[in-house]
Amino acid sequence: MTGAALVSGLDYAAVAVFALTGALAASRSQLDIVGFIFVASLTAVGGGTLRDIILDRVPLWVSDPVMLLVAAVAAVLVFLTAHLLESRYRALEWLDAAALAIAVPAGVGVALSEGMGWPVVLVMGMVTGCMGGLMRDVVCNEVPMVLKQGELYVTCAFAGALVAVALGAVGVAGWAALTACAAVVFVLRAGSLALGWRLPVYRSRPPRAPKR
Amino acid sequence: MTGAALVSGLDYAAVAVFALTGALAASRSQLDIVGFIFVASLTAVGGGTLRDIILDRVPLWVSDPVMLLVAAVAAVLVFLTAHLLESRYRALEWLDAAALAIAVPAGVGVALSEGMGWPVVLVMGMVTGCMGGLMRDVVCNEVPMVLKQGELYVTCAFAGALVAVALGAVGVAGWAALTACAAVVFVLRAGSLALGWRLPVYRSRPPRAPKR
Amino acid sequence: MTGAALVSGLDYAAVAVFALTGALAASRSQLDIVGFIFVASLTAVGGGTLRDIILDRVPLWVSDPVMLLVAAVAAVLVFLTAHLLESRYRALEWLDAAALAIAVPAGVGVALSEGMGWPVVLVMGMVTGCMGGLMRDVVCNEVPMVLKQGELYVTCAFAGALVAVALGAVGVAGWAALTACAAVVFVLRAGSLALGWRLPVYRSRPPRAPKR
């Protein structure tokens, strides 16, 4: 498989899984079917579109509109089946973990293919992985997962992207590096969700001045 | 009227009417006059700017700064007159409906003029129509209209854009298709506001895990 | 100092000071160290990135990734020392005032160097100054400073950018104009924070329809 095909495949998979998470968030907001498709699409292509705009590429779904169909189908699926889930929020968390583990290497791969230096590669992995979910959570008024206290999230994206960059520096690139990146992201995020892995949080004092 | 002039005229009208809605949201947040102008401008050009960035065009107000003046004048008007309205929120909803009905064909027209395929045309109609209002509502901490439970909103934008695409497919384009698009958007949205038209929402269960 | 070096120096300074404010917001949300770096970086480069995307430039931190290091170092500093502050929110407000006073001339300088007309120069000063902080506040669920009732904020950015444009019109440009711009922004914002300077706000009526 060529690098371009690999990265494009990752983009498709990330779109599909992020769309499922967006549709689950829509079900928690009790939207109608078009609202499901809207939030699913925003979540699915949000991170990749931001990545492509920053790198001055044509956004993924403009060059390949089938991605929009993928997101819409995922939204319809969730609209029809979400009541079968015992806990939609739990499903949302685990699907989001899978999507993160796919989208971070997608971002890393695109940034490498554009010849970016390693700091930009790191950030692009994090942007592609985290920003779609952040848009979903801000729009649906959920607590942004990316900022949830006492969980690893951005850290997983950062560690995965770092592994890909480090492997690249020692000559391991292509699908091996991107697979390692995905594995690191998913294992860290799963450890945080299932086992409570975390970094020490800033605890000195809660805020006194009011937040909204 | 040429296609370019028509689309440019739609952009102007959408800017003016969306600016009114932004200023009304600012009055609900009790901002000062510069805050009115800021929210009005963000709402007015937000959707069109996103459309232009995605399509790699110069954003509308960069190539034509008079649009900023239009938004500022609309904000000042509302600052001086909003106390005359019986219900600012009702006015906001109806002006937003009008702005949506103007901005969707504006987005469709630009995407067609850039030679995009129909899925991208659909999305551009929805982005141009919905995103300025979404930015307004997130920034002012209003319930996003685009996601209000039990109302048609994205659906109106989607249906209008679909009509324009379908008319284009059977050879009806230009102002006839864009007028039909605007009419469909406004009628659906008005029906939702005045008569309670809606699609079935996802009702199986309200969320249990807390939202913020 | 050449114009380009001056503007680049302003960008660096704005990144550093905005990153401090982002990290303080992260401490109020009790995030971990990677969360600090994430919010600090978003705040630090958010406004400048938006400016660069709108003007179709390579975003500042893509062309110069050292900026990301600056933001990360600032975040770590705050993580280690924020408990020494008597009031983090007060520190956040004053650092944000300083960052605003640096970022507005940075935006004005870039827009001038791209040959933009004065309305776009004004808006670019405001976008570069205000948008990073707005992203920080929306993501961390703080009351957006930019919209805080009864304070000058956007007004300071607007006045500063206007001074730079006016000085340019009478032949004073370069560092003199940008320094005057920064001084106007900071004095107005400091006057608002310390002495309660304000414009009359829209007070006719508080909103009746619910906000979220």
Side-chain angles (χ1 to χ4, degrees):
Chain A
M1 187 146 65
T2 68
L6 175 63
V7 168
S8 167
L10 286 170
D11 265 348
Y12 266 100
V15 161
V17 186
F18 264 132
L20 295 174
T21 72
L24 282 169
S27 85
R28 285 168 50 83
S29 292
Q30 305 196 283
L31 302 180
D32 62 30
I33 181 66
V34 181
F36 271 62
I37 295 175
F38 180 78
V39 179
S41 304
L42 181 73
T43 312
V45 303
T49 303
L50 194 55
R51 172 198 69 194
D52 292 340
I53 288 175
I54 290 174
L55 295 178
D56 207 10
R57 292 157 48 95
V58 177
L60 58 168
W61 52 273
V62 174
S63 55
D64 188 359
V66 176
M67 290 203 175
L68 298 171
L69 185 66
V70 171
V73 168
V76 172
L77 264 177
V78 171
F79 190 78
L80 298 177
T81 64
H83 62 282
L84 303 175
L85 293 168
E86 202 190 320
S87 166
R88 278 170 294 164
Y89 194 72
R90 205 74 186 144
L92 207 170
E93 283 184 326
W94 282 94
L95 283 169
D96 185 86
L100 187 68
I102 302 166
V104 172
V108 165
V110 166
L112 288 173
S113 77
E114 297 281 330
M116 294 289 143
W118 65 265
V120 176
V121 171
L122 280 184
V123 173
M124 283 301 143
M126 295 162 75
V127 162
T128 312
C130 300
M131 284 305 190
L134 182 59
M135 293 179 199
R136 173 196 65 211
D137 295 339
V138 167
V139 165
C140 288
N141 208 27
E142 301 270 3
V143 182
M145 267 187 207
V146 72
L147 293 179
K148 233 169 158 186
Q149 202 191 328
E151 286 190 12
L152 300 182
Y153 195 100
V154 189
T155 308
C156 313
F158 178 76
L162 198 62
V163 163
V165 166
L167 286 175
V170 299
V172 181
W175 67 266
L178 295 186
T179 306
C181 166
V184 167
V185 174
F186 189 77
V187 167
L188 284 177
R189 181 73 185 135
S192 176
L193 284 176
L195 307 172
W197 293 357
R198 52 160 70 187
L199 288 176
V201 301
Y202 184 86
R203 280 204 183 286
S204 301
R205 293 198 311 261
R208 286 175 306 203
K211 307 180 90 174
R212 77 179 178 187
Chain B
M1 186 145 64
T2 69
L6 174 63
V7 169
S8 166
L10 286 171
D11 265 348
Y12 265 100
V15 161
V17 187
F18 265 133
L20 295 173
T21 72
L24 282 170
S27 85
R28 283 167 51 83
S29 292
Q30 303 196 284
L31 302 180
D32 62 31
I33 180 67
V34 181
F36 271 61
I37 295 174
F38 180 78
V39 180
S41 305
L42 181 73
T43 311
V45 303
T49 303
L50 195 55
R51 173 197 68 196
D52 292 340
I53 288 175
I54 289 174
L55 295 178
D56 207 12
R57 291 158 47 95
V58 177
L60 60 170
W61 52 273
V62 173
S63 55
D64 189 359
V66 176
M67 289 203 177
L68 299 170
L69 185 65
V70 170
V73 169
V76 172
L77 264 178
V78 171
F79 190 78
L80 298 177
T81 63
H83 62 281
L84 302 176
L85 294 168
E86 203 190 319
S87 164
R88 277 170 295 164
Y89 194 72
R90 205 73 187 146
L92 207 171
E93 283 184 325
W94 282 94
L95 284 169
D96 185 86
L100 185 69
I102 301 166
V104 172
V108 165
V110 166
L112 287 173
S113 76
E114 296 282 328
M116 294 289 143
W118 66 266
V120 176
V121 170
L122 280 184
V123 173
M124 283 303 143
M126 294 161 75
V127 162
T128 312
C130 300
M131 284 304 190
L134 182 59
M135 293 180 199
R136 172 196 66 210
D137 294 339
V138 168
V139 165
C140 289
N141 208 28
E142 302 269 3
V143 181
M145 265 186 209
V146 72
L147 294 178
K148 233 169 159 184
Q149 201 193 328
E151 286 190 12
L152 301 182
Y153 195 99
V154 189
T155 308
C156 313
F158 178 75
L162 199 61
V163 163
V165 166
L167 286 175
V170 299
V172 181
W175 68 266
L178 295 186
T179 305
C181 166
V184 167
V185 174
F186 189 77
V187 167
L188 284 178
R189 181 71 185 137
S192 175
L193 284 175
L195 307 172
W197 293 357
R198 52 161 69 186
L199 289 176
V201 301
Y202 184 85
R203 281 207 183 282
S204 302
R205 294 200 308 262
R208 285 174 306 204
K211 309 180 88 174
R212 78 179 179 189
Chain C
M1 186 146 63
T2 68
L6 174 63
V7 168
S8 165
L10 286 171
D11 265 348
Y12 266 100
V15 161
V17 187
F18 265 133
L20 294 174
T21 71
L24 282 170
S27 85
R28 284 168 51 85
S29 292
Q30 303 196 284
L31 303 180
D32 62 30
I33 180 69
V34 181
F36 271 62
I37 294 175
F38 180 78
V39 180
S41 303
L42 181 73
T43 312
V45 304
T49 302
L50 195 55
R51 173 198 67 196
D52 292 340
I53 287 175
I54 289 174
L55 296 178
D56 207 10
R57 292 159 46 97
V58 178
L60 60 169
W61 52 273
V62 173
S63 55
D64 188 359
V66 176
M67 288 201 178
L68 299 170
L69 185 65
V70 170
V73 168
V76 172
L77 263 177
V78 171
F79 190 78
L80 298 177
T81 62
H83 63 280
L84 303 175
L85 293 168
E86 203 189 320
S87 164
R88 277 171 294 163
Y89 194 73
R90 205 73 187 144
L92 207 171
E93 283 184 325
W94 282 94
L95 284 169
D96 186 87
L100 186 68
I102 302 166
V104 172
V108 166
V110 165
L112 287 173
S113 76
E114 297 281 330
M116 294 290 143
W118 67 266
V120 176
V121 171
L122 280 184
V123 173
M124 284 301 144
M126 295 162 75
V127 162
T128 312
C130 300
M131 284 305 190
L134 182 59
M135 293 181 200
R136 173 195 65 210
D137 294 339
V138 167
V139 165
C140 288
N141 208 28
E142 301 269 3
V143 181
M145 264 186 210
V146 72
L147 294 179
K148 232 168 157 185
Q149 200 192 331
E151 285 191 13
L152 301 182
Y153 195 99
V154 188
T155 308
C156 313
F158 178 75
L162 198 61
V163 163
V165 165
L167 286 175
V170 299
V172 180
W175 69 265
L178 296 186
T179 305
C181 166
V184 167
V185 174
F186 189 77
V187 167
L188 284 178
R189 180 74 184 135
S192 176
L193 284 175
L195 307 172
W197 293 357
R198 51 161 70 186
L199 288 176
V201 301
Y202 184 85
R203 280 205 183 285
S204 302
R205 294 200 309 261
R208 284 175 306 201
K211 308 180 89 172
R212 77 179 179 189

Coordinates of all heavy atoms in Angstrom, one line a residue, chain B residues 68-132:
Chain B
L68 N -18.1 45.2 5.8 CA -17.9 45.5 7.2 C -18.7 46.7 7.6 O -19.2 46.8 8.7 CB -16.4 45.7 7.5 CG -15.5 44.5 7.2 CD1 -14.1 44.9 7.3 CD2 -15.8 43.4 8.2
L69 N -18.7 47.7 6.8 CA -19.5 48.9 7.0 C -21.0 48.6 7.2 O -21.7 49.1 8.1 CB -19.3 50.0 5.9 CG -19.9 51.3 6.1 CD1 -19.3 52.0 7.3 CD2 -19.7 52.2 4.9
V70 N -21.5 47.8 6.3 CA -22.9 47.3 6.3 C -23.2 46.7 7.7 O -24.2 47.0 8.3 CB -23.2 46.3 5.2 CG1 -24.6 45.7 5.3 CG2 -23.1 47.1 3.8
A71 N -22.3 45.8 8.1 CA -22.5 45.1 9.4 C -22.5 46.1 10.5 O -23.3 46.1 11.5 CB -21.5 44.0 9.6
A72 N -21.6 47.1 10.5 CA -21.5 48.1 11.6 C -22.7 49.0 11.6 O -23.2 49.2 12.7 CB -20.2 48.9 11.4
V73 N -23.2 49.4 10.5 CA -24.4 50.2 10.4 C -25.6 49.5 11.0 O -26.4 50.0 11.8 CB -24.7 50.7 9.0 CG1 -26.0 51.3 8.9 CG2 -23.6 51.7 8.6
A74 N -25.7 48.2 10.6 CA -26.8 47.4 11.2 C -26.7 47.3 12.7 O -27.7 47.3 13.4 CB -26.8 46.0 10.5
A75 N -25.5 47.1 13.2 CA -25.3 47.0 14.7 C -25.7 48.3 15.4 O -26.4 48.3 16.4 CB -23.8 46.7 15.0
V76 N -25.3 49.4 14.8 CA -25.7 50.7 15.4 C -27.2 50.9 15.4 O -27.8 51.4 16.4 CB -25.0 51.9 14.7 CG1 -25.5 53.2 15.1 CG2 -23.5 51.8 14.9
L77 N -27.8 50.6 14.3 CA -29.3 50.6 14.2 C -30.0 49.9 15.3 O -30.9 50.4 16.0 CB -29.8 50.0 12.9 CG -30.0 51.0 11.7 CD1 -30.4 50.2 10.5 CD2 -31.1 52.0 12.1
V78 N -29.5 48.6 15.5 CA -30.1 47.8 16.6 C -29.8 48.4 18.0 O -30.7 48.4 18.8 CB -29.6 46.4 16.5 CG1 -30.1 45.6 17.7 CG2 -30.1 45.7 15.2
F79 N -28.6 48.9 18.2 CA -28.3 49.5 19.5 C -29.3 50.6 19.8 O -29.6 50.8 20.9 CB -26.8 50.1 19.4 CG -26.3 50.5 20.7 CD1 -25.8 49.5 21.7 CD2 -26.2 51.8 21.1 CE1 -25.3 49.9 22.9 CE2 -25.7 52.2 22.3 CZ -25.3 51.2 23.2
L80 N -29.7 51.4 18.8 CA -30.5 52.6 19.0 C -32.0 52.2 19.1 O -32.8 53.0 19.7 CB -30.3 53.6 17.9 CG -28.9 54.2 17.8 CD1 -28.8 55.1 16.6 CD2 -28.5 54.9 19.1
T81 N -32.4 51.0 18.5 CA -33.8 50.8 18.4 C -34.3 49.5 19.0 O -35.5 49.3 19.0 CB -34.2 50.7 16.9 OG1 -33.5 49.6 16.3 CG2 -33.8 52.0 16.1
A82 N -33.4 48.7 19.6 CA -33.9 47.4 20.0 C -34.9 47.5 21.1 O -35.8 46.6 21.3 CB -32.7 46.5 20.5
H83 N -34.9 48.6 21.9 CA -35.9 48.7 23.0 C -37.3 48.9 22.5 O -38.3 48.8 23.2 CB -35.5 49.9 23.9 CG -35.5 51.2 23.1 ND1 -34.5 51.6 22.3 CD2 -36.5 52.2 23.1 CE1 -34.8 52.8 21.8 NE2 -36.0 53.1 22.2
L84 N -37.4 49.2 21.2 CA -38.8 49.4 20.6 C -39.4 48.0 20.3 O -40.6 47.9 20.1 CB -38.7 50.2 19.3 CG -38.1 51.6 19.4 CD1 -38.0 52.2 18.1 CD2 -38.9 52.4 20.4
L85 N -38.6 47.0 20.3 CA -39.2 45.6 19.9 C -39.9 45.1 21.1 O -39.5 45.2 22.3 CB -38.1 44.7 19.5 CG -37.3 45.0 18.3 CD1 -36.0 44.2 18.2 CD2 -38.2 44.8 17.1
E86 N -41.0 44.4 20.8 CA -41.7 43.8 22.0 C -41.0 42.6 22.5 O -40.8 42.4 23.6 CB -43.1 43.4 21.5 CG -44.1 43.3 22.7 CD -45.4 42.7 22.3 OE1 -45.9 43.0 21.2 OE2 -45.9 41.8 23.0
S87 N -40.5 41.7 21.5 CA -39.7 40.6 21.9 C -38.4 40.5 21.0 O -38.6 40.2 19.8 CB -40.5 39.3 21.8 OG -39.6 38.2 21.8
R88 N -37.3 40.8 21.6 CA -36.1 40.7 20.8 C -35.8 39.3 20.4 O -35.3 39.1 19.3 CB -34.9 41.2 21.7 CG -34.7 42.7 21.7 CD -33.7 43.1 22.7 NE -34.1 42.7 24.0 CZ -33.4 42.7 25.1 NH1 -32.1 42.9 25.0 NH2 -33.9 42.4 26.3
Y89 N -36.1 38.3 21.2 CA -35.8 37.0 20.8 C -36.6 36.5 19.6 O -36.1 35.9 18.6 CB -36.0 36.0 21.9 CG -35.3 34.7 21.6 CD1 -33.9 34.6 21.6 CD2 -36.1 33.5 21.2 CE1 -33.3 33.4 21.2 CE2 -35.4 32.4 20.9 CZ -34.1 32.3 20.9 OH -33.4 31.1 20.5
R90 N -37.9 36.9 19.6 CA -38.8 36.6 18.4 C -38.3 37.3 17.2 O -38.2 36.7 16.1 CB -40.2 37.1 18.8 CG -41.3 36.4 18.0 CD -41.5 35.0 18.6 NE -42.5 34.3 17.7 CZ -42.5 33.0 17.4 NH1 -41.5 32.2 17.9 NH2 -43.4 32.4 16.6
A91 N -37.8 38.6 17.3 CA -37.3 39.3 16.2 C -36.0 38.6 15.7 O -35.8 38.5 14.5 CB -37.0 40.8 16.6
L92 N -35.2 38.2 16.7 CA -34.0 37.5 16.3 C -34.3 36.2 15.5 O -33.6 36.0 14.5 CB -33.2 37.1 17.6 CG -31.7 37.0 17.6 CD1 -31.2 36.8 19.1 CD2 -31.2 35.8 16.8
E93 N -35.3 35.5 15.9 CA -35.6 34.2 15.2 C -36.0 34.5 13.8 O -35.6 33.8 12.9 CB -36.7 33.5 16.0 CG -36.2 32.7 17.2 CD -37.4 32.0 17.9 OE1 -38.5 32.4 17.8 OE2 -37.1 30.9 18.4
W94 N -36.9 35.5 13.6 CA -37.4 35.8 12.3 C -36.4 36.4 11.4 O -36.3 36.0 10.2 CB -38.7 36.6 12.4 CG -39.9 35.7 12.8 CD1 -40.3 35.5 14.0 CD2 -40.6 34.9 11.9 NE1 -41.4 34.6 14.0 CE2 -41.6 34.2 12.7 CE3 -40.6 34.6 10.5 CZ2 -42.5 33.3 12.2 CZ3 -41.6 33.7 10.0 CH2 -42.5 33.1 10.8
L95 N -35.6 37.3 11.9 CA -34.5 37.9 11.1 C -33.5 36.8 10.7 O -33.0 36.7 9.6 CB -33.8 39.0 11.8 CG -34.6 40.3 11.8 CD1 -34.0 41.3 12.8 CD2 -34.6 40.9 10.4
D96 N -33.3 35.9 11.6 CA -32.3 34.8 11.4 C -32.9 33.9 10.3 O -32.2 33.4 9.4 CB -32.1 34.0 12.6 CG -31.1 32.9 12.4 OD1 -29.9 33.2 12.6 OD2 -31.4 31.8 12.1
A97 N -34.2 33.7 10.3 CA -34.9 32.9 9.2 C -34.7 33.6 7.9 O -34.3 32.9 6.9 CB -36.4 32.7 9.5
A98 N -34.8 34.9 7.8 CA -34.6 35.6 6.6 C -33.1 35.5 6.1 O -32.8 35.3 4.9 CB -35.0 37.1 6.7
A99 N -32.2 35.7 7.1 CA -30.8 35.6 6.8 C -30.4 34.2 6.2 O -29.7 34.1 5.3 CB -30.0 36.0 8.0
L100 N -31.0 33.2 6.9 CA -30.7 31.8 6.4 C -31.2 31.7 5.0 O -30.5 31.1 4.2 CB -31.5 30.9 7.4 CG -31.2 29.4 7.2 CD1 -29.8 29.0 7.6 CD2 -32.2 28.6 8.0
A101 N -32.4 32.2 4.7 CA -32.9 32.0 3.4 C -32.1 32.8 2.3 O -32.2 32.5 1.1 CB -34.4 32.5 3.3
I102 N -31.4 33.8 2.7 CA -30.5 34.5 1.8 C -29.1 33.9 1.7 O -28.6 33.8 0.6 CB -30.4 36.0 2.2 CG1 -31.7 36.7 2.3 CG2 -29.5 36.8 1.2 CD1 -31.7 38.0 3.1
A103 N -28.6 33.4 2.8 CA -27.2 32.9 2.8 C -27.1 31.6 2.2 O -26.0 31.3 1.6 CB -26.7 32.9 4.3
V104 N -28.1 30.7 2.3 CA -28.0 29.4 1.7 C -27.8 29.5 0.2 O -26.9 29.0 -0.4 CB -29.2 28.5 2.0 CG1 -29.2 27.2 1.2 CG2 -29.2 28.2 3.5
P105 N -28.7 30.3 -0.6 CA -28.4 30.4 -2.0 C -27.1 31.1 -2.3 O -26.5 30.9 -3.3 CB -29.6 31.2 -2.5 CG -30.3 31.7 -1.3 CD -30.0 30.8 -0.2
A106 N -26.7 32.0 -1.4 CA -25.4 32.7 -1.6 C -24.2 31.6 -1.6 O -23.3 31.6 -2.4 CB -25.1 33.7 -0.5
G107 N -24.3 30.7 -0.6 CA -23.3 29.6 -0.6 C -23.4 28.7 -1.8 O -22.4 28.3 -2.3
V108 N -24.6 28.3 -2.1 CA -24.8 27.5 -3.3 C -24.3 28.1 -4.5 O -23.5 27.5 -5.3 CB -26.3 27.1 -3.4 CG1 -26.6 26.6 -4.8 CG2 -26.8 26.2 -2.3
G109 N -24.6 29.4 -4.7 CA -24.1 30.1 -5.9 C -22.6 30.2 -6.0 O -22.1 30.0 -7.1
V110 N -22.0 30.5 -4.9 CA -20.5 30.5 -4.9 C -19.9 29.2 -5.2 O -19.0 29.0 -6.1 CB -19.9 31.1 -3.6 CG1 -18.5 30.8 -3.5 CG2 -20.2 32.5 -3.5
A111 N -20.4 28.1 -4.6 CA -19.9 26.8 -4.8 C -20.1 26.4 -6.3 O -19.2 25.8 -6.9 CB -20.5 25.8 -3.9
L112 N -21.2 26.7 -6.9 CA -21.5 26.4 -8.3 C -20.5 27.2 -9.2 O -19.9 26.6 -10.1 CB -22.9 26.7 -8.7 CG -24.0 25.8 -8.2 CD1 -25.4 26.3 -8.5 CD2 -23.8 24.4 -8.7
S113 N -20.3 28.5 -8.8 CA -19.4 29.3 -9.7 C -18.0 28.8 -9.6 O -17.1 29.1 -10.5 CB -19.5 30.7 -9.2 OG -18.8 30.9 -8.1
E114 N -17.6 28.0 -8.5 CA -16.3 27.5 -8.4 C -16.2 26.1 -9.0 O -15.2 25.4 -8.9 CB -15.9 27.4 -6.9 CG -15.8 28.7 -6.2 CD -14.5 29.4 -6.5 OE1 -13.5 28.7 -6.8 OE2 -14.5 30.6 -6.6
G115 N -17.3 25.6 -9.6 CA -17.3 24.4 -10.3 C -17.3 23.1 -9.4 O -16.8 22.1 -9.8
M116 N -17.9 23.3 -8.2 CA -17.9 22.1 -7.3 C -18.9 21.1 -7.7 O -20.0 21.5 -8.3 CB -18.2 22.6 -5.9 CG -17.1 23.5 -5.3 SD -15.6 22.6 -4.9 CE -14.3 23.7 -5.4
G117 N -18.8 19.9 -7.3 CA -19.8 18.9 -7.5 C -20.9 19.1 -6.5 O -20.8 19.8 -5.5
W118 N -22.0 18.3 -6.7 CA -23.2 18.6 -5.9 C -23.1 18.3 -4.4 O -23.7 19.1 -3.6 CB -24.4 17.9 -6.5 CG -24.4 16.4 -6.5 CD1 -24.0 15.6 -7.5 CD2 -24.8 15.6 -5.4 NE1 -24.1 14.3 -7.1 CE2 -24.6 14.3 -5.8 CE3 -25.4 15.8 -4.1 CZ2 -24.9 13.2 -5.0 CZ3 -25.6 14.8 -3.3 CH2 -25.4 13.5 -3.7
P119 N -22.3 17.3 -4.0 CA -22.2 17.2 -2.5 C -21.6 18.4 -1.9 O -22.0 18.8 -0.8 CB -21.4 15.9 -2.3 CG -21.4 15.2 -3.7 CD -21.5 16.3 -4.7
V120 N -20.5 18.9 -2.5 CA -19.9 20.1 -2.0 C -20.8 21.3 -2.0 O -20.8 22.2 -1.1 CB -18.5 20.4 -2.6 CG1 -17.9 21.6 -2.1 CG2 -17.6 19.1 -2.4
V121 N -21.6 21.4 -3.1 CA -22.5 22.5 -3.2 C -23.5 22.5 -2.1 O -23.8 23.5 -1.4 CB -23.3 22.5 -4.6 CG1 -24.4 23.5 -4.6 CG2 -22.3 22.7 -5.7
L122 N -24.0 21.3 -1.8 CA -25.0 21.1 -0.7 C -24.3 21.6 0.6 O -24.9 22.4 1.4 CB -25.3 19.7 -0.5 CG -26.4 19.1 -1.4 CD1 -26.7 17.6 -1.0 CD2 -27.7 19.9 -1.3
V123 N -23.1 21.1 0.9 CA -22.5 21.5 2.2 C -22.2 23.0 2.3 O -22.3 23.6 3.3 CB -21.2 20.7 2.4 CG1 -20.5 21.1 3.6 CG2 -21.6 19.2 2.5
M124 N -21.8 23.6 1.1 CA -21.5 25.0 1.1 C -22.7 25.8 1.4 O -22.6 26.9 2.1 CB -20.8 25.4 -0.2 CG -19.4 25.0 -0.3 SD -18.4 25.7 1.1 CE -17.3 24.3 1.4
G125 N -23.8 25.4 0.9 CA -25.1 26.1 1.2 C -25.3 26.0 2.7 O -25.7 27.0 3.3
M126 N -25.1 24.9 3.3 CA -25.4 24.7 4.7 C -24.4 25.5 5.6 O -24.7 26.1 6.6 CB -25.4 23.2 5.1 CG -26.6 22.5 4.4 SD -26.3 20.7 4.4 CE -26.6 20.3 6.1
V127 N -23.1 25.4 5.2 CA -22.1 26.1 5.9 C -22.3 27.6 5.9 O -22.3 28.3 7.0 CB -20.7 25.8 5.3 CG1 -19.6 26.8 5.8 CG2 -20.2 24.4 5.7
T128 N -22.6 28.1 4.7 CA -22.8 29.6 4.6 C -24.0 30.0 5.4 O -24.0 31.1 6.0 CB -22.9 30.0 3.1 OG1 -21.8 29.4 2.4 CG2 -22.8 31.5 3.0
G129 N -25.0 29.2 5.3 CA -26.3 29.5 6.0 C -26.2 29.4 7.5 O -26.7 30.3 8.3
C130 N -25.6 28.3 8.0 CA -25.7 28.0 9.4 C -24.6 28.4 10.3 O -24.7 28.6 11.5 CB -25.9 26.5 9.6 SG -27.3 25.8 8.7
M131 N -23.4 28.6 9.7 CA -22.2 28.7 10.6 C -22.1 30.1 11.3 O -21.6 30.2 12.4 CB -20.9 28.4 9.9 CG -20.8 26.9 9.7 SD -20.8 26.0 11.2 CE -20.3 24.4 10.7
G132 N -22.5 31.2 10.6 CA -22.5 32.5 11.2 C -23.3 32.5 12.4 O -22.9 33.0 13.5

